[in-house]
Amino acid sequence: MTPPYPFSAVVGLAELRLALLLNAVSPAIGGVLVRGEKGTAKSTIVRALAALLPDVDVVPGCRFACDPANPDTDCPDGPHEPGAAAQRRRATLVELPVGATEDRVVGTLDLQRALADGIKAYEPGLLAAAHRGVLYVDEVNLLPDHLVDLLLDAAAMGRAHVERDGVSVKHAARFLLVGTMNPEEGEPRPQLVDRFGLVVAVTAPREAAPRAEVVRRRLAYETDPVGFAARWVDEDAVLAGRIAVARRRLPSVRLPDRELDRIATICLGYGVDGLRADIVVARTAVALAAWHDRDVVSADDVAAAARLALPHRRRRDPLDPPGTDQEKLEELLREHAADTDPEPDPPAGPDDDPDAGPSDGPPQGPAGGPPPGGPDGGPETPDRSDGHDGPPPPATGPEQTGQDEPVGQDEQPAPEQQKPSAGNQPTVAATSPYRTRALAVRGRGTGAHTGRRSPAYARRGRVVGSRLPAGRLTSLHLPATLLATARRGARTVTPADLREAVHVGREANLVLFVVDASGSMAARRRMGVVKTAVLSLLRDAYQRRDKIGMITFRGTGASTVLEPTASHEVGVLRLAELRTGGRTPLAAGLRQAARTLESERRRDPRRRPLLVVVTDGRATSGPDPLTVVPSLAAVASVVVDCESGPIRLGLARRLATALDADCVPLDALHTLGKAA
């Protein structure tokens, strides 16, 4: 069996390694969410962590890894007598795939055996397998929300609860939760990010030396995995020993009142909501003290804990661009720095650098040993406040710069030098978004993508009928089951009588916006109102868990400013950058929409699209837009009519009729008090 890549051999990522080690010391911190671009060793370092965790004693034969010294009283395999025989094994690393179902996560109850034979048959899920180990969720931002809620609830409560039609099972589920994600594939809800104790952002090295060292070590590992792992076994053993010692010291670490007051003051000053941040900072500070072999939490522990636990909790609006106000946090930490500590923290020793190599001397080739200290052979700072290997990236986008940004990749003149013209009007800002009326795809979908927009057959929701189970029974339709039994003239339910409930819930869709950005929109001073409407629809799509895309048309053609994605905040940035001007090639916009939807249909045929055309219906360039309508005949559409003024031609309504679409006047899109 190929050994995993050693934890100590990972180059850089000091902040991430510290966060993982602290959670290994105190899983009550709440886990780690790792944000980073592809190819930054996120998965590698998480998989390497499991080898550092102390071995666990389990009850032999127990599928739920019960501790013989303190067995779970609710264990489905119990009851277990305290002090029973023990079997020692390694802590497990369980990986949750993106396509996992709810039954695979929490476990499966066999309702057929429960109802027909009276046997409570339960097959444990991934939560049971991860008990007292590590649960690793790659691409956590792509998991359905209800699965992420299940994971976070189990991690917070330490228990998993499964209930199906009156049959209930619960068991212990305490694990170190680690999630990784690539922000390019969409941001998770801020509420979910807040449930993770620590969030660390990682990037690839921005200098040649560490990049070369990463490749050197990787090639050495691939050439000889066993030999490479053997060269790092001593360093990993030191870290594993420190974790075990810190775990034993953790209950005796004292958090003084002055440090608790400091935590509360920093959290208040940073403007976080709720009290979870205060609790997580306190737990992290205690774990830091235990990690550094101290009995009392210091102000430096609080500051380091705040840098790991607070930045991601400041994001208020879900469509705000991701990022942290690091300067604000550092200012608060300086303002509330220690001034009464009895003595400073001891300097970091060589063991504080988990990237230290096992030998002295310069870096070696692919077959040579790893270098000491940092990846370039020099000392390495273990705790970086920004989580990056290089300087922080410059602020981008209108939200960060405070000014509009032009569209396109070519350099543009500064805004004060750019003169409006008939074909290039300056950007107009949107105002505060509002709640929009509900837009949905007609009919019922398959429910392949859980969401909140259009009706679809689903595993949960309103019961609309019954059917014979196609496989394992997951939702019993009791009246239909009893009726089938009565029709046989019997009093005992048999497996042949069982009926499954048919549910109708909601699904997520692909919402493709086609926006008129021609000069007529700016000339009539409507672009600000249109941008606000589209921003409101983007917020609605975020709340309903849709994918979004955006096409604009002006001048002589159309362009896809946002390919279909789950990154709603990127859509907000593209909308803010949108410029207007030129003629109105409506047909080009519709043709581009048809091509985009066809491409998405091949990629994901089970996700139903909703086309939202924002236009006044005028076409001053290109062919008649009605000639393009047949290519969109099978697509559910909505036309938002932007026409204004005392004289209206009704061209948008004409387009809606041709598309068999709903036509919603722009001023009727705003809805207050209606259920969305």
Side-chain angles (χ1 to χ4, degrees):
M1 181 178 178
T2 303
Y5 194 91
F7 188 90
S8 302
V10 176
V11 176
L13 306 182
E15 190 176 57
L16 173 56
R17 287 181 293 164
L18 179 62
L20 292 172
L21 291 170
L22 293 179
N23 271 270
V25 171
S26 176
I29 290 173
V32 184
L33 175 61
V34 188
R35 298 167 44 89
E37 57 199 13
K38 51 186 175 291
T40 49
K42 300 187 300 293
S43 301
T44 299
I45 193 170
V46 173
R47 293 188 178 103
L49 176 66
L52 304 183
L53 299 181
D55 293 346
V56 296
D57 291 331
V58 299
V59 174
C62 179
R63 298 174 296 169
F64 302 86
C66 280
D67 184 356
N70 185 25
D72 180 18
T73 57
D74 295 322
C75 178
D77 286 353
H80 305 300
E81 292 295 330
Q87 175 183 348
R88 174 153 290 198
R89 65 167 175 77
R90 301 295 301 271
T92 56
L93 170 69
V94 176
E95 299 191 34
L96 192 153
V98 173
T101 63
E102 181 177 340
D103 287 343
R104 184 73 184 95
V105 174
V106 299
T108 304
L109 277 170
D110 192 336
L111 290 179
Q112 291 184 348
R113 294 186 64 189
L115 295 172
D117 303 330
I119 299 174
K120 187 187 292 187
Y122 175 66
E123 185 66 29
L126 296 177
L127 295 182
H131 180 46
R132 305 174 69 194
V134 180
L135 181 61
Y136 171 46
V137 187
D138 193 13
E139 307 296 350
V140 66
N141 53 323
L142 302 183
L143 277 183
D145 289 338
H146 70 282
L147 289 187
V148 180
D149 285 332
L150 285 173
L151 292 177
L152 296 176
D153 284 341
M157 303 300 295
R159 304 198 70 77
H161 192 183
V162 186
E163 186 162 353
R164 296 286 187 275
D165 297 288
V167 182
S168 178
V169 172
K170 56 184 177 180
H171 61 82
R174 293 184 296 275
F175 47 80
L176 195 166
L177 177 63
V178 183
T180 58
M181 58 166 284
N182 183 350
E184 297 174 356
E185 297 170 337
E187 291 288 332
R189 290 181 293 156
Q191 301 93 318
L192 298 182
V193 176
D194 183 68
R195 296 287 297 274
F196 280 92
L198 310 179
V199 174
V200 179
V202 298
T203 59
R206 296 293 188 257
E207 298 177 358
R211 295 178 74 95
E213 184 60 27
V214 170
V215 176
R216 184 178 296 114
R217 295 187 188 183
R218 189 69 200 185
L219 293 177
Y221 171 74
E222 292 176 352
T223 301
D224 183 11
V226 175
F228 183 84
R231 287 194 292 273
W232 292 90
V233 67
D234 292 339
E235 284 65 33
D236 275 3
V238 170
L239 291 176
R242 289 189 64 183
I243 291 174
V245 171
R247 281 189 174 186
R248 291 193 295 269
R249 179 179 292 275
L250 189 69
S252 63
V253 174
R254 185 170 60 88
L255 178 62
D257 286 344
R258 72 172 181 275
E259 301 308 331
L260 193 55
D261 292 341
R262 197 192 312 273
I263 290 171
T265 303
I266 292 173
C267 290
L268 280 173
Y270 199 58
V272 297
D273 293 329
L275 293 172
R276 181 176 288 119
D278 305 59
I279 296 172
V280 172
V281 173
R283 289 172 173 168
T284 306
V286 171
L288 269 166
W291 176 251
H292 290 294
D293 201 23
R294 294 193 300 268
D295 294 324
V296 180
V297 172
S298 69
D300 288 344
D301 294 328
V302 171
R307 292 186 180 101
L308 289 170
L310 287 186
H312 64 283
R313 303 180 193 277
R314 188 172 170 82
R315 186 176 169 211
R316 295 299 184 87
D317 191 290
L319 294 183
D320 284 345
T324 65
D325 191 350
Q326 195 70 37
E327 291 183 3
K328 171 68 173 176
L329 179 58
E330 293 299 328
E331 179 183 343
L332 279 169
L333 295 179
R334 287 192 299 269
E335 179 182 348
H336 302 287
D339 53 5
T340 58
D341 274 357
E343 59 182 7
D345 290 336
D351 289 341
D352 288 333
D353 184 2
D355 201 31
S359 62
D360 296 325
Q364 303 298 318
D376 56 356
E380 182 176 299
T381 302
D383 297 331
R384 286 286 301 272
S385 61
D386 57 2
H388 298 275
D389 292 302
T396 58
E399 280 80 359
Q400 291 92 336
T401 62
Q403 61 187 16
D404 294 321
E405 295 289 341
V407 177
Q409 299 178 353
D410 298 331
E411 292 187 3
Q412 300 286 344
E416 61 271 13
Q417 298 175 342
Q418 212 169 33
K419 298 187 180 297
S421 65
N424 185 27
Q425 299 292 334
T427 59
V428 179
T431 57
S432 298
Y434 49 78
R435 190 179 185 186
T436 66
R437 59 185 292 181
L439 307 176
V441 179
R442 300 168 188 168
R444 292 175 178 172
T446 61
H449 301 281
T450 305
R452 300 179 180 178
R453 181 172 297 278
S454 303
Y457 294 106
R459 297 194 60 181
R460 53 173 54 85
R462 181 168 53 92
V463 177
V464 296
S466 64
R467 64 189 176 195
L468 288 170
R472 184 188 295 271
L473 180 65
T474 58
S475 180
L476 178 70
H477 194 291
L478 184 58
T481 298
L482 296 178
L483 183 59
T485 304
R487 284 173 177 167
R488 292 193 300 106
R491 296 185 178 181
T492 303
V493 176
T494 66
D497 299 325
L498 296 176
R499 297 295 184 270
E500 185 177 57
V502 178
H503 298 270
V504 169
R506 295 279 172 175
E507 69 176 0
N509 300 111
L510 166 62
V511 181
L512 182 62
F513 296 95
V514 179
V515 182
D516 183 352
S518 64
S520 63
M521 305 297 282
R524 293 172 174 80
R525 301 182 182 276
R526 288 178 296 176
M527 202 58 204
V529 179
V530 170
K531 278 191 173 183
T532 301
V534 177
L535 178 60
S536 303
L537 291 169
L538 282 171
R539 179 186 291 271
D540 181 70
Y542 167 82
Q543 293 170 343
R544 299 179 188 277
R545 312 295 182 254
D546 297 315
K547 288 183 66 175
I548 59 168
M550 189 181 301
I551 294 170
T552 62
F553 56 93
R554 69 181 184 122
T556 60
S559 61
T560 302
V561 297
L562 180 65
E563 293 287 348
T565 178
S567 297
H568 298 80
E569 61 281 349
V570 178
V572 174
L573 292 176
R574 295 292 183 270
L575 181 66
E577 297 166 351
L578 184 62
R579 308 189 74 88
T580 60
R583 300 175 69 83
T584 313
L586 177 54
L590 296 177
R591 189 178 296 112
Q592 182 74 4
R595 287 194 290 264
T596 300
L597 292 176
E598 176 61 23
S599 175
E600 285 299 305
R601 185 190 65 79
R602 294 195 191 99
R603 183 179 294 111
D604 189 357
R606 296 194 295 174
R607 186 184 289 272
R608 296 193 295 166
L610 176 63
L611 178 66
V612 179
V613 184
V614 184
T615 180
D616 59 7
R618 289 180 173 86
T620 60
S621 175
D624 185 346
L626 297 186
T627 61
V628 187
V629 165
S631 62
L632 296 168
V635 178
S637 306
V638 175
V639 176
V640 179
D641 186 359
C642 301
E643 192 172 30
S644 61
I647 301 177
R648 305 193 181 194
L649 304 179
L651 298 177
R653 185 166 297 278
R654 174 170 167 252
L655 175 63
T657 301
L659 288 170
D660 191 24
D662 295 329
C663 185
V664 181
L666 184 60
D667 54 5
L669 194 62
H670 191 300
T671 301
L672 292 176
K674 289 188 178 181

